[in-house]
Amino acid sequence: MVSQEDLAVRTLGPCRIDSPLAARLGERQTTQHSVVEEDRILFDDTISMVGGRGLPIDQLPSLEPGGPRKQIYFDPAKTRVGIVTCGGLCPGLNDVIRGLVLELSRHYGVRRIVGFRNGYRGFIPRYGEDVLDLTPEVVMDIDDEGGTILGTSRGEQDAEEVVDALERLGINILFVIGGDGTIRGAMDVVRVIGERGLKVAVVGIPKTIDNDIPYIDQSFGFQTAMAEATKSIHAASVEARSAPGGIGLVKLMGRHSGFIACYSTLAKDDADYVLIPEVPFALDGERGFLEHLRRRVEDRGHAVVVVAEGAGQEHIQGEEPGRDASGNIRFGDIGRLLRRLVVDHFDAHGTETNVRYFDPSYAIRSVPANPFDSAYCLRLAHAAVHAAMAGRTEVIVARRRRRFVHMPMPLAVSRRNHVDPMGDLWLSVLEATGQPVRFE
Ligand SMILES: Nc1ncnc2c1ncn2[C@@H]1O[C@H](COP(=O)(O)OP(=O)(O)O)[C@@H](O)[C@H]1O
Ligand SMILES: O=P(O)(O)OC[C@H]1O[C@](O)(COP(=O)(O)O)[C@@H](O)[C@@H]1O
Ligand SMILES: [Mg+2]
């Protein structure tokens, strides 16, 4: 259970410098649409959860609100900023970079902003990467393209060497844009910064196409990627309906969390089955997936199956899962296995089928952000700049139940966000597809 201590935000010191944005803050109040900096946002949001704490109101777990402060820690005229993007792509990375640079330069007057290339390796001398000077002119149109102008990478780097680079360049604030791995890497960097007694703020903007970071609303880029995935699901439906015994089989990203598969299915109600890592399924037997699918195709003439890449790993025999450079598990190909098993099962029963296999994987995360995500990226970038200029560190900025908040990095990596098999989302998927609660 998340405690008040888990939500405590680290700061580099007192804020004594008037913010250039102070005049805009005026006499704001806490309303449905804004929170004053002295207020806090409850972590729990139901009567039973709040009541169950049995705590006085001022001890209830609560989050520090995001947003501009009247006074800031850093002197903008003397502040140097670094930005780095790490891990897998997600639509909107360039929008976040652009938002950071424009807010820093235009509204705080911070002029020295550099981008580190190709993830954390951009700090490490042996990779020989130069830094990229980031100005409004450089970033103005980068949001038209997917990917990240800085490049990204996987694979752990030595936090000591990262902080060496920060010291050599006199960086006062580092923005890290990445997922759980990046945030863990940032925590190592914060540890070394503390050991060296440096006053450097490290602020994260969480990025996860899989939506596997907990306690926050969806990551930026998730809506764009999910929308892109629906195109493949619809194409699978067209193919399935156009052939005798047509089966459209779509494999989507989602290493440990099946959110992309769930939401893209709900958006385009074409799928008859969704298989996700969080819900194991039996393949064989009268009540297994294969026989259920065969009967569905016999009844309706076609079917669409959406499978997250991390689903059904219990059926991948004899293949030791590999790991990527960051230690993330690389699963066996459940899509190709299912394709083979479906054809074999139908053949064994003399049921005609034509399987059309779709694997749009990278296509859904390498596209530019849609307008919603572009606006979301900009707002997250603004929140990140406000937090960093106010001396917050070892935090990610996130949107939680419509409010922008400062979330400590340790909490953000304390667990993984999963689809709850007993939750509303999965119930909606079962209702939309009509698939049984379990295949056993
Ligand atoms: N457990 C870890 N501890 C420290 N640094 C890590 C850890 N995992 C990943 N990193 C760093 O974060 C970067 C991105 O992590 P990765 O897992 O590839 O992507 P993501 O951040 O999107 O989850 C890696 O290149 C590595 O430098
Ligand atoms: O980009 P790679 O190294 O091929 O890894 C692909 C994996 O990256 C992901 O897109 C997630 O990336 P992150 O680990 O950066 O969150 C998974 O959905 C997918 O399995
Ligand atoms: Mg990750």
Side-chain angles (χ1 to χ4, degrees), residues 20 25 49-50 57 66 78 122 134 140 170 183 216 255 268 293 300 311 335 342 350 385 396 428:
L25 300 183
M49 292 165 86
V50 172
I57 188 94
K78 302 176 184 62
L134 293 173
M140 192 47 70
I183 295 167
I216 67 174
R255 205 186 279 128
K268 198 92 192 99
L293 175 63
R300 297 192 186 172
V342 165
V385 171
I396 60 168
S428 293

Side-chain angles (χ1 to χ4, degrees), residues 59-292:
Q59 291 174 32
L60 287 171
S62 60
L63 290 142
E64 185 175 84
R69 270 41 186 185
K70 298 184 190 68
Q71 295 213 296
I72 54 179
Y73 175 81
F74 286 107
D75 174 355
K78 302 176 184 62
T79 299
R80 288 183 174 85
V81 172
I83 301 173
V84 66
T85 53
C86 308
L89 293 186
C90 185
L93 284 168
N94 282 331
D95 298 70
V96 176
I97 296 167
R98 176 178 181 277
L100 291 170
V101 174
L102 294 182
E103 183 68 12
L104 283 162
S105 50
R106 287 181 170 175
H107 299 293
Y108 280 92
V110 173
R111 293 277 173 267
R112 284 165 290 196
I113 308 167
V114 295
F116 291 91
R117 292 185 185 280
N118 296 324
Y120 284 124
R121 68 170 65 180
F123 297 85
I124 312 298
R126 70 175 173 282
Y127 291 103
E129 302 280 7
D130 192 1
V131 294
L132 175 65
D133 286 325
L134 293 173
T135 64
E137 296 69 32
V138 166
V139 303
M140 192 47 70
D141 300 321
I142 63 173
D143 52 327
D144 295 340
E145 281 302 318
T148 158
I149 60 162
L150 298 181
T152 181
S153 69
R154 295 186 187 278
E156 282 195 48
Q157 304 300 337
D158 179 350
E160 297 286 348
E161 289 194 79
V162 171
V163 179
D164 289 347
L166 295 176
E167 285 200 89
R168 280 194 294 270
L169 288 164
I171 300 290
N172 309 104
I173 293 174
L174 175 64
F175 292 108
V176 297
I177 309 169
D180 57 321
T182 304
I183 295 167
R184 286 191 180 89
M187 288 164 63
D188 288 349
V189 168
V190 168
R191 175 180 48 76
V192 174
I193 286 169
E195 288 164 358
R196 299 189 189 179
L198 302 174
K199 293 292 188 183
V200 178
V202 180
V203 174
I205 298 94
K207 168 231 53 137
T208 162
I209 196 87
D210 294 358
N211 208 38
D212 61 5
I213 294 177
Y215 307 121
I216 67 174
D217 297 351
Q218 282 148 9
S219 159
F220 71 81
F222 178 85
Q223 192 188 97
T224 302
M226 178 274 277
E228 201 64 24
T230 60
K231 295 175 185 173
S232 297
I233 295 174
H234 188 62
S237 175
V238 170
E239 287 282 351
R241 294 165 191 273
S242 308
I247 295 176
L249 175 60
V250 184
K251 185 182 80 167
L252 296 175
M253 283 192 160
R255 205 186 279 128
H256 303 289
S257 306
F259 289 99
I260 292 259
C262 288
Y263 276 101
S264 50
T265 292
L266 293 178
K268 198 92 192 99
D269 201 357
D270 287 321
D272 300 286
Y273 301 92
V274 179
L275 305 172
I276 61 173
E278 297 91 334
V279 180
F281 56 94
L283 283 168
D284 303 316
E286 268 308 294
R287 298 159 60 87
F289 168 68
L290 294 170
E291 184 52 19
H292 197 282

Side-chain angles (χ1 to χ4, degrees), residues 278-334:
E278 297 91 334
V279 180
F281 56 94
L283 283 168
D284 303 316
E286 268 308 294
R287 298 159 60 87
F289 168 68
L290 294 170
E291 184 52 19
H292 197 282
L293 175 63
R294 191 185 68 80
R295 287 200 298 269
R296 174 73 65 93
V297 172
E298 279 202 333
D299 294 347
R300 297 192 186 172
H302 51 78
V304 172
V305 179
V306 175
V307 58
E309 62 181 325
Q313 292 304 309
E314 65 273 20
H315 302 299
I316 307 271
Q317 309 296 337
E319 275 181 52
E320 261 310 295
R323 292 201 177 261
D324 67 19
S326 297
N328 298 299
I329 202 162
R330 275 197 187 286
F331 288 121
D333 192 328
I334 187 65

Side-chain angles (χ1 to χ4, degrees), residues 6-21:
D6 296 326
L7 302 175
V9 168
R10 285 182 58 175
T11 65
L12 294 177
C15 296
R16 296 198 183 99
I17 300 172
D18 290 342
S19 167
L21 281 75

